[in-house]
Amino acid sequence: MTGDQREKFGLTVTGMHAAYDRLAVLHGIDLHVTPGEILALVGANGAGKTSVLRAVSGLLRPTKGTVKLGDRDVTSFGAEKIAAIGLAHVPENRLVFPTLSVDDNLVLGGYVRRKDDGFERRREEALALFPRLKDRINLAAGALSGGEQQMLAMARALMSEPSVIILDEPSLGLAPKVVGEIMAALGILRDTKGLAVLLVEQNVRAAFKVADRVMVMDRGKVVAEGTPAD
Ligand code: ATP
């Protein structure tokens, strides 16, 4: 365990329902990710995987059920407060700030925490995980390859030193080698930092290589659950 002395906590979702206006899209989701574990959430397009992540991170208010970070019920909290408590959301399409440098993107990721609170250490740790970013630290983020932008989106999320990290299809559109690097980084975060990782993936083969457990979603429900070997 390097640097970060904060105790890690997991994520627990119980009986969660959610809707867009009147269109119900989640129908009673239960899931738990412990510190030091990767849970992969897979399923067809439109199954509701992205909606689970949005409901967990405070971007979509659940209509029923609870979301807990450790023992703390955060169901009614907004996204900013949930991020400050220790959940980092890496959305689909790696939304980096394209005109800002790699370094400035990291600085923005760090604002969730006080700047004097181990800021340099956090930046060094995030860059150590993705050495390629170090070589490109002063480049505009928009000039990076897709894989590098995904790495930057993850590094920026790590700047808040989260306990729980949730990622939406980080492998989307990337070459197999880069996908391998990204999955390996998730394994390192689990093993060395004890993060609880909730990973939404269509690339089942890549997700299964690193995941400890898998849940399959269909039409807003979890329909199967097990280990990748199952
Ligand atoms: P994908 O892999 O295609 O992103 P998904 O499993 O992540 O699929 P969601 O994006 O969570 O699924 O979508 C679940 C359902 O919610 C779908 O029927 C989708 O059409 C609907 N939906 C998603 N976002 C919205 C929105 N902003 N407004 C209305 N309906 C939405």
Side-chain angles (χ1 to χ4, degrees), residues 54-62 67 69 72-83 85:
R54 289 172 57 81
V56 161
S57 68
L59 294 172
L60 174 65
R61 179 71 54 90
V67 178
L69 291 177
R72 192 159 179 187
D73 188 334
V74 301
T75 318
S76 62
F77 292 4
E80 222 169 295
K81 194 163 174 191
I82 289 175
I85 291 170

Side-chain angles (χ1 to χ4, degrees), residues 178-200:
V178 184
V179 173
E181 286 178 40
I182 282 163
M183 296 300 154
L186 292 180
I188 290 170
L189 291 173
R190 167 191 60 196
D191 298 337
T192 67
K193 293 200 173 283
L195 288 198
V197 181
L198 177 56
L199 170 66
V200 161

Side-chain angles (χ1 to χ4, degrees), residues 20-21 23 25-26 43-52 54 92 168-169 200 202 217:
Y20 294 101
D21 295 320
L23 175 71
V25 291
L26 299 180
N45 281 333
K49 307 177 298 296
T50 296
S51 301
V52 169
R54 289 172 57 81
E92 205 174 325
D168 203 348
E169 306 223 18
V200 161
Q202 297 259 5
M217 278 190 74

Side-chain angles (χ1 to χ4, degrees), residues 3-229:
D4 183 5
Q5 301 303 319
R6 297 200 302 175
E7 199 178 324
K8 293 289 186 262
F9 47 76
L11 166 71
T12 308
V13 171
T14 311
M16 184 169 74
H17 292 242
Y20 294 101
D21 295 320
R22 274 195 236 140
L23 175 71
V25 291
L26 299 180
H27 313 283
I29 302 292
D30 296 303
L31 65 83
H32 178 67
V33 198
T34 56
E37 183 183 43
I38 299 178
L39 173 63
L41 194 56
V42 302
N45 281 333
K49 307 177 298 296
T50 296
S51 301
V52 169
L53 298 192
R54 289 172 57 81
V56 161
S57 68
L59 294 172
L60 174 65
R61 179 71 54 90
T63 48
K64 240 200 250 180
T66 57
V67 178
K68 282 187 173 178
L69 291 177
D71 294 332
R72 192 159 179 187
D73 188 334
V74 301
T75 318
S76 62
F77 292 4
E80 222 169 295
K81 194 163 174 191
I82 289 175
I85 291 170
L87 180 136
H89 186 175
V90 185
E92 205 174 325
N93 296 325
R94 27 203 175 259
L95 303 170
V96 297
F97 299 100
T99 60
L100 297 183
S101 69
V102 167
D103 207 21
D104 286 343
N105 269 274
L106 293 179
V107 169
L108 286 178
Y111 275 139
V112 169
R113 299 275 305 279
R114 288 203 340 268
K115 188 161 183 178
D116 57 353
D117 190 6
F119 180 83
E120 283 307 326
R121 173 182 55 76
R122 284 183 275 136
R123 178 159 62 178
E124 283 309 308
E125 287 183 9
L127 290 172
L129 192 63
F130 300 113
R132 286 191 203 204
L133 295 180
K134 216 169 185 166
D135 303 334
R136 291 158 174 74
I137 194 82
N138 294 315
L139 277 187
L144 300 179
S145 71
E148 289 159 358
Q149 289 190 21
Q150 181 61 48
M151 291 172 189
L152 177 56
M154 290 168 65
R156 190 180 61 192
L158 293 172
M159 288 297 293
S160 64
E161 215 152 51
S163 276
V164 180
I165 185 165
I166 66 175
L167 306 102
D168 203 348
E169 306 223 18
S171 79
L172 199 68
L174 303 182
K177 182 171 175 290
V178 184
V179 173
E181 286 178 40
I182 282 163
M183 296 300 154
L186 292 180
I188 290 170
L189 291 173
R190 167 191 60 196
D191 298 337
T192 67
K193 293 200 173 283
L195 288 198
V197 181
L198 177 56
L199 170 66
V200 161
E201 260 304 337
Q202 297 259 5
N203 186 340
V204 172
R205 183 194 287 258
F208 279 24
K209 274 197 189 140
V210 71
D212 300 292
R213 279 189 305 123
V214 180
M215 282 182 152
V216 183
M217 278 190 74
D218 185 33
R219 283 167 278 183
K221 289 184 181 165
V222 174
V223 293
E225 193 174 342
T227 64

